[in-house]
Amino acid sequence: MPQFPPASAPPALDFQQVRKTYPGQPQPALHDLTLHVPRGSRMGIIGRSGAGKSTLVRLISGLDHADAGVLLARGEVVHGPQLRAHQARTGLVFQQFNLLAQRTALQNVALPLELRGVPRARRDALAREQLRLVGLEALADRYPAQLSGGQKQRVGIARALVTGPDLLLADEATSALDPETSASILTLLLDIQQERDLTLVIVTHQMEVVRAVTTHVAVLDHGTIVETGETGTVLRAPQHPVTRALLGAHRPQVPLADHETLRHLTLPDLNPDTLAALARSGARLVQAQAHLQGVDVWLAVSAHLPLHLPGSAPLAVGA
Ligand SMILES: Nc1ncnc2c1ncn2[C@@H]1O[C@H](COP(=O)(O)OP(=O)(O)OP(=O)(O)O)[C@@H](O)[C@H]1O
């Protein structure tokens, strides 16, 4: 189980009743948005297209400000002089990498230090250290055009880390990558988060990203958080239709008998007892995928039988 600081420690981020309306727009892009990101957590923020994810990223990163409500970072209001301090402690990883084409990998990573006036020898040493951390030390002198998508993202991550942030914000960081590269980048982010004890906020439209790495999740829809909680809990028993729809996006296409319905569950594991209990309940295992929170299973269930699993009350059959 992940360890979090005592409840008295201020959350890494605390949004209270935040609203943001773009000029000329009748509807706010964000409204009544309340969100707590515990320190040391890995928070996934998920939502469909247009839900407000990019707007939220802009507020968290301090690139834009809210019209109403309060945004606290590490217990302090992000406003005025605090904004700079917040930005200095927040690393950003982007979907399109945002590397400068005319700079080498090393020079890209060193850029935030250069902007802060760190002397060259020192910034190059620090940038090289970050490149080593992401496994790219040997490619330090290559230009972005000479790197693969995954390598570019590793450079982007090294650049985000070079100033020593305590909060890392990854905005659709794996959306432009193929599944295998995406998995390796998520593993890297997870390793770094644990090694450096960072708070990681991952904004994504992909539920599999949430499943793979997060400890907590917040579901954004029409500019507000409609469901939030520990990832395992939300995945096991999603309460909001949007969460269920996002989870159901990977519903396997399998033929079902007339008396069967397809049921999705997240189980702590798939041990022989669980498998035997599924068989006794007349449930047919259609698909199983292991991830950090447990095992995601799709079952074909006989509509007239409740599901009995070890350690849980009988589960009604439903969508
Ligand atoms: N600069 C802008 N001016 C006016 N309206 C905007 C602007 N940026 C976003 N919006 C609107 O705000 C709402 C939220 O948009 P946002 O880009 O934050 O959503 P998103 O969840 O990031 O979507 P996507 O996944 O498609 O990128 C949408 O209705 C969008 O049309």
Side-chain angles (χ1 to χ4, degrees), residues 22-23 25 29 48-56 172:
Y22 287 105
Q25 295 301 306
R48 301 183 283 201
S49 181
K53 301 184 297 296
S54 302
T55 307
L56 185 55
E172 300 281 7

mmCIF file of all heavy atoms in Angstrom, residues 22-23 25 29 48-56 172, ligand 1:
data_model
loop_
_atom_site.group_PDB
_atom_site.id
_atom_site.type_symbol
_atom_site.label_atom_id
_atom_site.label_comp_id
_atom_site.label_asym_id
_atom_site.label_seq_id
_atom_site.Cartn_x
_atom_site.Cartn_y
_atom_site.Cartn_z
ATOM 1 N N TYR A 22 -13.959 31.026 -20.420
ATOM 2 C CA TYR A 22 -13.168 31.705 -21.452
ATOM 3 C C TYR A 22 -13.955 32.907 -21.978
ATOM 4 O O TYR A 22 -15.191 32.852 -22.055
ATOM 5 C CB TYR A 22 -12.844 30.733 -22.594
ATOM 6 C CG TYR A 22 -11.800 29.698 -22.212
ATOM 7 C CD1 TYR A 22 -12.174 28.380 -21.944
ATOM 8 C CD2 TYR A 22 -10.465 30.046 -22.103
ATOM 9 C CE1 TYR A 22 -11.230 27.428 -21.585
ATOM 10 C CE2 TYR A 22 -9.506 29.106 -21.741
ATOM 11 C CZ TYR A 22 -9.897 27.805 -21.486
ATOM 12 O OH TYR A 22 -8.957 26.881 -21.122
ATOM 13 N N PRO A 23 -13.248 33.963 -22.364
ATOM 14 C CA PRO A 23 -13.938 35.163 -22.860
ATOM 15 C C PRO A 23 -14.882 34.809 -24.016
ATOM 16 O O PRO A 23 -14.527 34.022 -24.894
ATOM 17 C CB PRO A 23 -12.794 36.053 -23.357
ATOM 18 C CG PRO A 23 -11.577 35.568 -22.637
ATOM 19 C CD PRO A 23 -11.789 34.113 -22.364
ATOM 20 N N GLN A 25 -17.466 32.987 -24.012
ATOM 21 C CA GLN A 25 -18.133 31.673 -23.935
ATOM 22 C C GLN A 25 -19.315 31.728 -22.970
ATOM 23 O O GLN A 25 -19.171 32.262 -21.860
ATOM 24 C CB GLN A 25 -17.149 30.603 -23.460
ATOM 25 C CG GLN A 25 -16.001 30.335 -24.423
ATOM 26 C CD GLN A 25 -16.492 29.892 -25.779
ATOM 27 O OE1 GLN A 25 -17.254 28.939 -25.902
ATOM 28 N NE2 GLN A 25 -16.085 30.609 -26.817
ATOM 29 N N ALA A 29 -15.747 26.667 -18.650
ATOM 30 C CA ALA A 29 -14.993 25.444 -18.983
ATOM 31 C C ALA A 29 -14.802 24.608 -17.723
ATOM 32 O O ALA A 29 -14.725 23.380 -17.778
ATOM 33 C CB ALA A 29 -13.647 25.807 -19.592
ATOM 34 N N ARG A 48 -13.585 12.896 -20.849
ATOM 35 C CA ARG A 48 -13.742 12.809 -22.299
ATOM 36 C C ARG A 48 -13.287 14.108 -22.956
ATOM 37 O O ARG A 48 -12.998 15.087 -22.260
ATOM 38 C CB ARG A 48 -15.220 12.556 -22.616
ATOM 39 C CG ARG A 48 -15.714 11.280 -21.970
ATOM 40 C CD ARG A 48 -17.144 10.984 -22.323
ATOM 41 N NE ARG A 48 -18.069 11.823 -21.579
ATOM 42 C CZ ARG A 48 -19.345 11.510 -21.396
ATOM 43 N NH1 ARG A 48 -19.825 10.392 -21.890
ATOM 44 N NH2 ARG A 48 -20.148 12.309 -20.728
ATOM 45 N N SER A 49 -13.273 14.097 -24.270
ATOM 46 C CA SER A 49 -12.879 15.301 -24.997
ATOM 47 C C SER A 49 -13.809 16.460 -24.612
ATOM 48 O O SER A 49 -15.025 16.289 -24.568
ATOM 49 C CB SER A 49 -12.969 15.012 -26.491
ATOM 50 O OG SER A 49 -12.578 16.141 -27.204
ATOM 51 N N GLY A 50 -13.222 17.605 -24.317
ATOM 52 C CA GLY A 50 -14.012 18.784 -23.978
ATOM 53 C C GLY A 50 -14.416 18.856 -22.514
ATOM 54 O O GLY A 50 -15.093 19.794 -22.091
ATOM 55 N N ALA A 51 -14.004 17.880 -21.716
ATOM 56 C CA ALA A 51 -14.407 17.847 -20.299
ATOM 57 C C ALA A 51 -13.786 18.994 -19.512
ATOM 58 O O ALA A 51 -14.320 19.421 -18.484
ATOM 59 C CB ALA A 51 -13.993 16.509 -19.673
ATOM 60 N N GLY A 52 -12.642 19.491 -19.974
ATOM 61 C CA GLY A 52 -11.975 20.595 -19.260
ATOM 62 C C GLY A 52 -10.570 20.247 -18.806
ATOM 63 O O GLY A 52 -9.965 20.983 -18.032
ATOM 64 N N LYS A 53 -10.021 19.143 -19.316
ATOM 65 C CA LYS A 53 -8.703 18.673 -18.847
ATOM 66 C C LYS A 53 -7.596 19.701 -19.126
ATOM 67 O O LYS A 53 -6.803 20.018 -18.248
ATOM 68 C CB LYS A 53 -8.349 17.327 -19.508
ATOM 69 C CG LYS A 53 -9.351 16.220 -19.233
ATOM 70 C CD LYS A 53 -8.924 14.896 -19.825
ATOM 71 C CE LYS A 53 -8.827 14.914 -21.344
ATOM 72 N NZ LYS A 53 -10.118 15.154 -22.029
ATOM 73 N N SER A 54 -7.576 20.202 -20.377
ATOM 74 C CA SER A 54 -6.499 21.148 -20.723
ATOM 75 C C SER A 54 -6.630 22.416 -19.902
ATOM 76 O O SER A 54 -5.611 23.007 -19.489
ATOM 77 C CB SER A 54 -6.560 21.523 -22.203
ATOM 78 O OG SER A 54 -6.471 20.363 -22.976
ATOM 79 N N THR A 55 -7.861 22.833 -19.660
ATOM 80 C CA THR A 55 -8.077 24.039 -18.856
ATOM 81 C C THR A 55 -7.546 23.810 -17.445
ATOM 82 O O THR A 55 -6.862 24.669 -16.873
ATOM 83 C CB THR A 55 -9.583 24.380 -18.839
ATOM 84 O OG1 THR A 55 -10.044 24.443 -20.186
ATOM 85 C CG2 THR A 55 -9.839 25.701 -18.149
ATOM 86 N N LEU A 56 -7.822 22.641 -16.906
ATOM 87 C CA LEU A 56 -7.340 22.305 -15.562
ATOM 88 C C LEU A 56 -5.809 22.282 -15.531
ATOM 89 O O LEU A 56 -5.185 22.791 -14.592
ATOM 90 C CB LEU A 56 -7.927 20.953 -15.148
ATOM 91 C CG LEU A 56 -7.651 20.478 -13.736
ATOM 92 C CD1 LEU A 56 -8.085 21.510 -12.718
ATOM 93 C CD2 LEU A 56 -8.375 19.153 -13.471
ATOM 94 N N GLU A 172 -1.381 14.208 -20.882
ATOM 95 C CA GLU A 172 -1.492 13.281 -22.016
ATOM 96 C C GLU A 172 -0.093 12.843 -22.477
ATOM 97 O O GLU A 172 0.184 12.749 -23.671
ATOM 98 C CB GLU A 172 -2.251 13.924 -23.189
ATOM 99 C CG GLU A 172 -3.667 14.362 -22.871
ATOM 100 C CD GLU A 172 -4.684 13.220 -22.857
ATOM 101 O OE1 GLU A 172 -4.294 12.046 -22.957
ATOM 102 O OE2 GLU A 172 -5.877 13.515 -22.721
HETATM 103 N N1 LIG B 1 -9.214 29.246 -25.542
HETATM 104 C C1 LIG B 1 -10.497 28.900 -25.454
HETATM 105 N N2 LIG B 1 -11.477 29.756 -25.766
HETATM 106 C C2 LIG B 1 -12.786 29.415 -25.666
HETATM 107 N N3 LIG B 1 -13.220 28.211 -25.254
HETATM 108 C C3 LIG B 1 -12.279 27.289 -24.932
HETATM 109 C C4 LIG B 1 -10.876 27.581 -25.018
HETATM 110 N N4 LIG B 1 -10.192 26.464 -24.642
HETATM 111 C C5 LIG B 1 -11.124 25.539 -24.335
HETATM 112 N N5 LIG B 1 -12.367 26.023 -24.500
HETATM 113 C C6 LIG B 1 -13.640 25.314 -24.219
HETATM 114 O O1 LIG B 1 -13.608 24.896 -22.862
HETATM 115 C C7 LIG B 1 -14.131 23.583 -22.727
HETATM 116 C C8 LIG B 1 -13.076 22.659 -22.110
HETATM 117 O O2 LIG B 1 -12.011 22.536 -23.048
HETATM 118 P P1 LIG B 1 -10.648 21.769 -22.719
HETATM 119 O O3 LIG B 1 -9.725 22.012 -23.873
HETATM 120 O O4 LIG B 1 -10.183 22.177 -21.375
HETATM 121 O O5 LIG B 1 -11.151 20.254 -22.689
HETATM 122 P P2 LIG B 1 -10.296 18.896 -22.779
HETATM 123 O O6 LIG B 1 -10.907 17.973 -21.788
HETATM 124 O O7 LIG B 1 -8.845 19.202 -22.627
HETATM 125 O O8 LIG B 1 -10.591 18.384 -24.247
HETATM 126 P P3 LIG B 1 -9.633 17.487 -25.223
HETATM 127 O O9 LIG B 1 -9.474 16.146 -24.553
HETATM 128 O O10 LIG B 1 -10.444 17.403 -26.486
HETATM 129 O O11 LIG B 1 -8.344 18.236 -25.395
HETATM 130 C C9 LIG B 1 -14.580 23.150 -24.112
HETATM 131 O O12 LIG B 1 -15.957 23.410 -24.225
HETATM 132 C C10 LIG B 1 -13.776 24.047 -25.051
HETATM 133 O O13 LIG B 1 -14.495 24.297 -26.240
#
